Amino acid sequence: MHIPDGFLTAPVWGSLAAVSGVGVAVSARFAQKEVALDNGRQLPMLGVMGAFVFAAQMVNFPVGMGTSGHLVGGTLLAASLGPWSASIVMTAVLLLQALVFQDGGVLALGANVCNMALAGVWAGYLPVAFSGNKQNRFSLFLGGLLSVSASAALALSELWYSGVRPPFAVLQTGCVFLLVTALIEGLITVVIARAAGIRLAAADPQTGRWPRPALAAGIMALLILAIALASQSPDALQGLLGMSGETAPWQQRALSGLGGMAILFFACVIAAWCWDRFMRNKDA
Amino acid sequence: MSKILSSRGPGVQAASPLHRLDARAKLGALLIFLIAVSSTPPSRPRVLAALLLLPLAAAFAARLPVRRLLARAAIALPFTAMIALAAGWNLGLFAALVLLAKSMLSLLSTGVIVAITPFPAMARAMAWARVPELLILVTQFVYRYLFVIAEEAAVMLRAARSRQGQCSSRVMAWRVAGGTLGALFARSSKRAAAIHQSMLARGFRGQFPQVSSHRFALGETALLAGTAVAAVLMRALL
């Protein structure tokens, strides 16, 4: 899911770098407050969890037909460290992957940070925040699913705005493939959390200080809006019109496919919310 | 796992005048080069061919093994080729090949700079560029413990495999991988607590000590200016 260098056009990577710069600066400010508590007890935790995600990405989970998936980790980090710190850890991992391991581009780093460290982490955090219970397996699964589908949908649309426009059938297949990847992320997240004995809540010293779910939902919506607006710069649009002359029917269908993924995304969020209400009513 | 342990990049040990330059200049030159590649229109492949000379010259000057650098850049080829193929659908085969060349060129140049710039120097350069301090601290931590945790994961997987033999079913394979990672997760958080204790014992006050300082002299200026002038000239003349 890392976007390599050379495919995004300058308006796309430039605006996404700006968005991610602001996002990371804000996250760092909030995370700093959590880390400063108790003589920096959380600081090595952030670092070691980043190293854990790095190592976990090397362990393959067989899917069948010779393919395998691996953890991306946004939800696991958000559930164990809180969303602000998780964004910082994920950014650190992406930074190292781009600068030391040449996995993902340097100019495309802003785009990758937006997709995985900001949108991915917050999308994964949403169901966990809604359920208010970090041990809830269903919310962890939904978090993994949402996290990866949000990252993948954003990566696809960014490439789309840069002129990488496969035909509808290919895009459809790609979307199905990405949905499978997202399902696998959800499963892996649950499997790891279960095997770890779900010490996720214990790893977080101040559960009560997390942002309210409404705030989380608002930030997520703003982030998606910001990325959509940033990607939709005039140059990219001009390129779209200039290259194809007029919008072909298959392009409209492909665009509506992306829209469909967005609708699916929000449907999942609403489902998580309803499930949570249902569970609470049952408890009461 | 061997991928992560062996991917520190070729030629880190070797020293040349290029190795000794300030990391800010090297990263700056990389950015200039990448922007030059990214902004070259697909209709002018000759500019890209000329731009290839820059990372090759740098690799030659730093005495890096060029063949290994190329092989390293080619690892990503299946993935980038897939994206290029998707792009080729409406842009045409030629444009797809140019896109592929752009991505290979970016990978090659990044590989050259990574091979001649140690990570602590990059972290200092990022601090100079006002990257949030927490992000730099966390990145340094991740880098420091990356190989430790990766090695631990490899050992645990090997142990699981020798206890169980070949996993007969997919469910079993998932259980082994998930169980390993779950245990690794718990061990990692324990390790973090131990690290914090030893940091406090050594008088940690919220920052890693910085050893050397920045310098920006003739060599650094020459590298930055040279890259910029070469990129502009190639764009104007070819």
Side-chain angles (χ1 to χ4, degrees):
Chain A
M1 222 168 358
H2 295 71
I3 301 177
D5 271 336
F7 292 103
L8 296 181
T9 51
V12 174
W13 64 253
S15 45
L16 287 169
V19 171
S20 70
V22 173
V24 168
V26 171
S27 306
R29 177 152 291 197
F30 278 94
Q32 182 75 53
K33 274 186 202 151
E34 297 173 3
V35 166
L37 293 170
D38 198 10
N39 256 331
R41 197 178 75 84
Q42 276 297 86
L43 182 60
M45 186 63 94
L46 299 196
V48 170
M49 281 304 144
F52 167 78
V53 165
F54 231 119
Q57 293 187 349
M58 302 285 142
V59 177
N60 287 321
F61 287 76
V63 179
M65 292 185 295
T67 57
S68 61
H70 68 74
L71 182 78
V72 180
T75 311
L76 207 61
L77 286 177
S80 57
L81 302 170
W84 303 114
S85 301
S87 285
I88 293 298
V89 172
M90 214 55 191
T91 307
V93 169
L94 290 172
L95 199 67
L96 281 173
Q97 282 173 337
L99 277 182
V100 180
F101 298 95
Q102 293 148 56
D103 189 4
V106 175
L107 288 185
L109 183 63
N112 286 325
V113 165
C114 273
N115 300 347
M116 286 185 263
L118 299 177
V121 163
W122 280 95
Y125 174 66
L126 265 187
V128 181
F130 269 123
S131 75
N133 172 12
K134 276 168 278 169
Q135 324 226 346
N136 184 342
R137 260 178 233 164
F138 181 72
S139 65
L140 278 175
F141 171 74
L142 214 52
L145 178 76
L146 283 181
S147 165
V148 168
S149 20
S151 308
L154 284 173
L156 264 185
S157 49
E158 285 153 19
L159 285 169
W160 179 270
Y161 281 119
S162 300
V164 179
R165 300 199 182 90
F168 183 58
V170 175
L171 202 67
Q172 214 173 20
T173 321
C175 285
V176 170
F177 178 74
L178 289 174
L179 201 63
V180 172
T181 320
L183 283 171
I184 291 169
E185 168 81 2
L187 283 178
I188 296 179
T189 305
V190 172
V191 166
I192 293 178
R194 214 178 119 185
I198 316 191
R199 288 273 162 268
L200 301 185
D204 176 53
Q206 359 119 41
T207 317
R209 290 180 192 225
W210 282 14
R212 306 280 294 271
L215 182 67
I219 288 175
M220 188 67 210
L222 272 180
L223 206 64
I224 287 181
L225 193 72
I227 291 171
L229 286 178
S231 307
Q232 221 162 4
S233 56
D235 287 18
L237 271 184
Q238 213 163 29
L240 171 80
L241 296 175
M243 265 180 281
S244 58
E246 54 189 6
T247 326
W250 63 265
Q251 282 177 332
Q252 291 171 351
R253 273 191 296 177
L255 268 177
S256 57
L258 278 180
M261 272 191 87
I263 291 171
L264 178 80
F265 176 82
F266 286 109
C268 284
V269 172
I270 292 168
W273 186 76
C274 294
W275 174 269
D276 170 51
R277 292 300 291 266
F278 172 71
M279 289 306 276
R280 267 190 212 164
N281 283 344
K282 216 171 75 175
D283 287 347
Chain B
M1 203 59 61
S2 61
K3 182 185 152 205
I4 197 172
L5 298 179
S6 66
S7 51
R8 281 181 134 152
V12 175
Q13 301 302 320
S16 75
L18 264 184
H19 282 81
R20 287 189 290 273
L21 290 183
D22 194 303
R24 288 173 298 169
K26 288 188 267 191
L27 289 178
L30 175 65
L31 273 184
I32 294 174
F33 180 83
L34 289 177
I35 290 173
V37 171
S38 155
S39 64
T40 305
S43 55
R44 299 171 71 187
R46 264 190 297 176
V47 179
L48 290 178
L51 279 172
L52 175 63
L53 292 177
L54 292 182
L56 286 184
F60 185 72
R63 279 175 244 129
L64 297 176
V66 175
R67 194 180 291 179
R68 265 169 73 191
L69 279 171
L70 286 174
R72 188 70 213 286
I75 292 177
L77 202 55
F79 182 58
T80 51
M82 213 169 68
I83 304 181
L85 200 69
W89 223 279
N90 67 324
L91 299 180
L93 183 65
F94 182 72
L97 285 179
V98 171
L99 274 183
L100 199 60
K102 275 187 175 186
S103 105
M104 291 308 285
L105 207 50
S106 308
L107 270 172
L108 181 67
S109 55
T110 310
V112 170
I113 294 298
V114 165
I116 60 176
T117 316
F119 180 70
M122 281 191 204
R124 275 203 301 283
M126 284 193 280
W128 175 83
R130 298 292 177 89
V131 173
E133 207 183 309
L134 180 66
L135 177 61
I136 296 176
L137 272 176
V138 170
T139 311
Q140 281 170 309
F141 254 112
V142 175
Y143 185 72
R144 200 164 289 192
Y145 286 98
L146 185 56
F147 300 98
V148 177
I149 305 270
E151 211 156 65
E152 194 167 6
V155 167
M156 289 168 77
L157 277 180
R158 201 180 311 137
R161 218 167 293 141
S162 41
R163 278 196 304 270
Q164 303 211 318
Q166 204 68 24
C167 290
S168 49
S169 71
R170 207 168 294 151
V171 177
M172 204 63 202
W174 271 67
R175 255 193 210 151
V176 169
T180 305
L181 287 184
L184 188 65
F185 186 91
R187 281 194 201 183
S188 299
S189 41
K190 229 176 173 179
R191 187 188 289 274
I195 293 169
H196 184 237
Q197 285 301 320
S198 55
M199 276 160 56
L200 290 184
R202 287 164 180 77
F204 180 75
R205 291 284 173 273
Q207 250 181 342
F208 289 137
Q210 306 270 318
V211 184
S212 71
S213 57
H214 294 297
R215 78 198 130 72
F216 210 89
L218 195 63
E220 281 81 8
T221 320
L223 178 66
L224 271 180
T227 314
V229 169
V232 169
L233 277 183
M234 284 170 186
R235 189 67 175 273
L237 296 180
L238 290 171

